Amino acid sequence: MNISLLKTPIDYLKGVGPNRSKLFKKELNIFTFQDLLSFFPYRYVDKTKYHKINEIQNTKSEIQLIGKIVDIYEVGIPRKKRLIAKIKDDTGFIELVWFKSHKWIKENLKLNKNYIIYGRPNLFNGTYNIPHPELELYKKETLKLRSSLDPIYPSTENLLKRGITNKVIRSIIKDLLLEINSKFIETLPEYITKEFNLLDKNSAIVNIHLPKSNKILMESIKRLKFEELFYLQLQLIKKNINRKEKIKGYDFKKVGNVFNSFYNNHLKFSLTNAQKRVLKEIRNDLGSNAQMNRLLQGDVGSGKTIIAFMATLIAIDNNFQACIMAPTEILSVQHYNNYKHICKSLNINIQILTGSTKA
């Protein structure tokens, strides 16, 4: 596929135009075709089930039903007018309610026609209604072609006010996928996709937006997550290599008396195998004449602070000062109190400096 196609401004996509493109840019930070394809759903709704009107209960979840519009009317004073469509199935009646865009909706509703209705029921004065539902003319021949999983995209209040509903976003993305016609360039080597049993790029992009089944949706999510983390990891490795080549650090070759004295005489517990492994890696980094840039990750209480303290002892053994920083003053005081007696016995001058420390 021509890469330049993905860089095409969103204005030129069918169904968008100048006004909608401004909203996409302002509200969703979508500027190009690529941005739109990377605008993933945050959840999916199973639309294989249809409720009967008498089955509706007070729920926070959306439901789907099939019914015929038997009446359309407006109620209320002009500024608080609302449009109501009465829906009937073989078990009862329910009202669909719109508080805005009355004229456009009323002109497009068809009396005595069956619709597929999707929305969240609302209980008002002991009666259920569905405010601002999604509607689709019921056609038996196209019912089987409907996607069983409908994507739900992030939105904003301003988009909904301007009529850019989830249905509109879904339709625009579908049009873009049809225009591109599954011509995405594979970004992972074949040996990686085979080793980790990953879906191809084309199938992953299409099925993240228009999933054919829950199984292929899960495979699409796995593929796209893997790709994102894979290239993030490559970027971090590349930065690490460049840093070690270009930025030289101090060479801490010696593990001397201070470190050994603490380890042999003051450490009251045995280090875990993981702590020993990480400490060895840190010692190698500090003795490599390259700047160390390391993230030590572990659960609370897993022993990260003691490793940081022992790393400072290596610096002290090589005639350097060292500093342990904490995110809060309370934690810094806690660390200071934990180590000041040990430092005194090791003849190390230890001080604490916080935002409230006076000059």
Side-chain angles (χ1 to χ4, degrees):
M1 181 182 63
N2 190 348
I3 299 296
S4 61
L5 178 61
L6 293 178
K7 296 181 180 179
T8 305
I10 197 70
D11 315 54
Y12 298 102
L13 182 61
K14 177 185 174 183
V16 178
N19 293 329
R20 280 183 173 177
S21 70
K22 288 179 182 178
L23 287 170
F24 275 112
K25 293 170 185 176
K26 181 180 178 182
E27 300 293 325
L28 301 175
N29 204 32
I30 294 175
F31 293 85
T32 65
F33 287 6
Q34 177 70 65
D35 295 334
L36 185 59
L37 290 174
S38 300
F39 184 63
F40 299 137
Y42 70 95
R43 66 185 179 96
Y44 298 82
V45 175
D46 184 355
K47 287 197 172 180
T48 57
K49 183 178 180 180
Y50 294 88
H51 291 75
K52 294 292 186 180
I53 290 176
N54 66 353
E55 295 175 341
I56 296 175
Q57 298 177 352
N58 192 14
T59 174
K60 292 183 179 180
S61 300
E62 290 83 359
I63 65 164
Q64 188 173 230
L65 52 90
I66 298 174
K68 181 189 291 185
I69 295 183
V70 295
D71 197 6
I72 303 170
Y73 56 94
E74 292 180 317
V75 297
I77 60 176
R79 288 190 177 183
K80 295 185 178 179
K81 190 177 290 186
R82 61 188 184 274
L83 176 66
I84 296 176
K86 198 170 185 179
I87 295 288
K88 175 189 175 183
D89 70 4
D90 57 357
T91 67
F93 296 86
I94 192 171
E95 292 181 345
L96 311 180
V97 185
W98 292 269
F99 297 94
K100 296 176 181 178
S101 306
H102 300 167
K103 184 178 179 181
W104 182 86
I105 294 171
K106 189 175 182 180
E107 288 174 352
N108 286 273
L109 291 177
K110 297 182 179 180
L111 202 59
N112 296 318
K113 291 288 185 180
N114 285 319
Y115 280 86
I116 298 172
I117 300 114
Y118 175 78
R120 183 177 299 175
N122 176 55
L123 187 61
F124 180 72
N125 286 340
T127 304
Y128 285 107
N129 61 63
I130 303 179
H132 294 272
E134 288 185 14
L135 295 179
E136 180 183 341
L137 270 173
Y138 173 78
K139 295 179 182 178
K140 193 172 184 179
E141 62 272 15
T142 60
L143 199 60
K144 293 181 180 180
L145 299 177
R146 300 179 80 237
S147 173
S148 61
L149 292 169
D150 262 15
I152 307 297
Y153 293 91
S155 187
T156 68
E157 186 177 350
N158 196 25
L159 284 176
L160 294 175
K161 283 181 179 179
R162 302 295 185 89
I164 302 179
T165 62
N166 186 74
K167 186 177 180 181
V168 170
I169 295 174
R170 190 169 64 235
S171 176
I172 291 171
I173 291 177
K174 185 177 181 180
D175 287 339
L176 177 56
L177 289 171
L178 290 172
E179 182 176 334
I180 291 174
N181 193 26
S182 298
K183 294 179 181 176
F184 297 98
I185 297 173
E186 182 57 69
T187 50
L188 292 176
E190 186 178 357
Y191 72 90
I192 288 182
T193 58
K194 285 184 177 180
E195 180 180 351
F196 294 97
N197 195 25
L198 299 173
L199 212 59
D200 64 275
K201 180 84 168 185
N202 278 313
S203 298
I205 291 292
V206 171
N207 283 283
I208 198 75
H209 292 290
L210 303 171
K212 295 177 181 177
S213 66
N214 193 64
K215 180 177 181 294
I216 199 167
L217 172 61
M218 293 299 104
E219 291 176 357
S220 301
I221 292 172
K222 174 187 172 183
R223 155 65 201 239
L224 294 173
K225 283 184 175 181
F226 182 96
E227 181 178 330
E228 182 177 353
L229 292 173
F230 178 78
Y231 282 105
L232 177 62
Q233 190 70 14
L234 280 183
Q235 186 180 34
L236 292 174
I237 291 171
K238 184 178 179 181
K239 284 183 177 180
N240 188 35
I241 292 172
N242 290 338
R243 183 180 292 109
K244 288 182 176 180
E245 289 178 350
K246 296 178 181 180
I247 306 174
K248 299 302 179 183
Y250 294 104
D251 191 357
F252 295 168
K253 291 188 176 299
K254 182 171 67 174
V255 177
N257 294 332
V258 176
F259 182 95
N260 289 323
S261 176
F262 171 76
Y263 186 83
N264 294 319
N265 304 319
H266 299 281
L267 189 59
K268 298 180 180 179
F269 53 88
S270 298
L271 296 179
T272 65
N273 289 333
Q275 286 175 311
K276 290 177 181 178
R277 174 176 54 79
V278 169
L279 189 59
K280 183 178 180 180
E281 291 174 1
I282 291 173
R283 287 172 60 182
N284 290 336
D285 280 350
L286 293 177
S288 67
N289 198 33
Q291 187 184 73
M292 182 175 72
N293 186 34
R294 177 176 291 274
L295 172 66
L296 182 58
Q297 183 176 336
D299 294 334
V300 174
S302 60
K304 300 183 295 295
T305 306
I306 189 67
I307 297 301
F309 178 74
M310 294 177 76
T312 66
L313 297 183
I314 296 175
I316 291 169
D317 269 332
N318 286 270
N319 300 316
F320 281 85
Q321 293 181 322
C323 174
I324 295 179
M325 300 181 69
T328 66
E329 185 167 334
I330 292 174
L331 188 59
S332 66
V333 172
Q334 179 183 325
H335 288 334
Y336 174 74
N337 290 331
N338 286 341
Y339 290 108
K340 65 180 180 181
H341 299 297
I342 296 174
C343 287
K344 184 178 181 180
S345 63
L346 293 171
N347 199 27
I348 297 173
N349 180 20
I350 182 173
Q351 300 295 331
I352 184 170
L353 179 64
T354 68
S356 61
T357 302
K358 295 182 179 179

